[in-house]
Structures are given as structure tokens and as C-alpha cells.
Amino acid sequence: MSANLTALFTIIRREVTRILRIWPQTLVPPAITMTLYFLIFGGLIGRRVGDMGGFDYMAFIVPGLVMMSVIQNSYGNISSSFFGAKFGRHIEELMVSPMPNWVILTGYVTGAVLRGLMVGAIVMAIAMLFTPVRIPHFAATLGALLAGAVIFSLAGFVNAVYAKKFDDIAIIPTFILTPLTYLGGVFYSVSLLPEWAATATRFNPVFYMVNAFRFGLLGVSDVPVWQAFVLMVVFIVLLGGFALYLLKRGTGMRS
């Protein structure tokens, strides 16, 4: 067990070192992007929008923007890191070692989650420059952040396993992840949508993550919070089981 823990912490340390070593690429761009969102959507457009869900528009979009930055960076970190290990052929050393698959997966996922939380903390600090931020439900806030980061870390891992070239790890974020985040209630309440659009939105997993986090910060949600957390746990179990299955089979590792 001690050997497994040593291996786990080694992978995590390597991932964190990588994140901090290239911080101008991993931490600065999200901060600049989210600052622009706050300035344009919250500052300029928000003045015309007025209140949203009983809150100032700037305060309303804070949970969505923080969650969006967390899931995007968690996904991007593990997909690029694990594919880089495949491309550099040093993933083969992990696969032939006595290290259990759960250690490999947990190490990479933890590194991705930590990057997501780092970026989330930076975006939250930026948000405080524009609007007061309080956390009335700390457990829900932290739980939503962790669950969202883990889900998209696992999804990024699956993407990296199947990717055969660097272009493949950009397809999912561009054509799936970005639309899901923009249509997940980041900038609006689902109550404003027509019935068919509101129904379609409820099939978007990001919608539940954003609302669970919004409940933690603002105390309001478009869906029952318990429902959001149950769905997130189900996604973690399914994606985690699938990721371990892929590692066990060695899918994409020998190509």
C-alpha cells in the first residue's frame, strides 16, 4: 500500500510541477479570458439586462463563469498531459509497472482537478473585484466544484485515450464542451427559455453543475440541488469505471 501511495503522490507531484512550470499557459489565459467576460457580459451587457433570478446580473454569472473555468481547465489539463505521455511513449513505463490502474487514473485526475481548482480560485478572486461574493452554503459550493472537476477530468482522460494525434484532443472541447458550457445556464436562468429549450437544457450535464454551484454561492437553483448531486455522482461512477476499463484493456496505449 505504501508503494502505491508513493506512486500516486509521484504522479500528482509531476502534474502539479508541470502546471506551475508553464503557468503562463495554464493559469494566466483563463484569468484574462474570465476578466473579459466580467467586463463585457457583467459590466456592459449586465447594465441593460438588469436583475436575473432576483440578483444583480454580475453576481448571477459569477457561479457559471467559475464553474466554466474549472471544468474547461480540468478537461484540458488531463487530455493534454495524458496524451503527451502517450506521444512521448513514457506511458508504457507506467503500464508495465506493478502500479495498479486506479493509481494511474487517480494521479492524473487529481492533477487535473488541482489545476481546475487553482483556476477557479483565481477567477473567484477576480470576481470579487467586480461584485461582493459570499458563500452561504460552503459544502455545496466545494462539492459542486470537486464533482464538476472530477467529471470533466475523467472525460478528458477518455478523450486522451482514444486520441491518435494532438488535433484529436481539441475536437471535443471545440465542438462539444464549449456548446455545453454556453448552453448550460452560465449566462441565463432556464426560466427565461421557451418550454422546448428548457426541456433540452435539462439533458445538459453542465446545467446541473452550474446550478449546484450557484446554489452554493447564491442560494438559488433552477433544479433541486439533491438531483444535481445525484446526477454528478452517477457520471463520476460511470466515467471512472469506463476509464479503468480502458486502462485494463490498454486501449489506445499501443498505437
Side-chain angles (χ1 to χ4, degrees), residues 36 53 60 82-83 95 107 115 137 141 185 195 231:
L36 293 175
F60 181 84
F82 191 78
F83 181 77
M95 299 300 294
R115 175 178 167 183
H137 305 285
T141 301
E195 186 176 349
L231 187 68

Side-chain angles (χ1 to χ4, degrees), residues 127-202:
M128 292 179 182
L129 300 177
F130 295 93
T131 184
V133 177
R134 56 189 185 86
I135 307 178
H137 305 285
F138 181 79
T141 301
L142 183 59
L145 278 180
L146 289 174
V150 170
I151 289 170
F152 279 91
S153 295
L154 291 169
F157 181 86
V158 173
N159 183 188
V161 167
Y162 282 108
K164 297 185 181 299
K165 54 184 183 296
F166 279 103
D167 289 343
D168 292 341
I169 64 175
I171 293 176
I172 302 297
T174 301
F175 294 102
I176 297 180
L177 183 55
T178 298
L180 285 178
T181 52
Y182 278 92
L183 298 175
V186 172
F187 299 103
Y188 55 84
S189 171
V190 72
S191 61
L192 299 177
L193 301 176
E195 186 176 349
W196 68 267
T199 301
T201 300
R202 294 181 186 277

Side-chain angles (χ1 to χ4, degrees), residues 1-13 99 102-103:
M1 188 64 183
S2 60
N4 290 338
L5 290 177
T6 300
L8 175 62
F9 288 128
T10 299
I11 295 175
I12 295 173
R13 183 178 60 185
M99 191 186 311
W102 69 266
V103 171

Side-chain angles (χ1 to χ4, degrees), residues 115-126:
R115 175 178 167 183
L117 295 181
M118 288 180 199
V119 173
I122 292 172
V123 175
M124 186 74 80
I126 294 172

Side-chain angles (χ1 to χ4, degrees), residues 26-45:
T26 55
L27 302 179
V28 175
I32 295 174
T33 301
M34 292 304 154
T35 300
L36 293 175
Y37 275 123
F38 284 121
L39 287 172
I40 297 172
F41 285 91
L44 300 178
I45 298 177

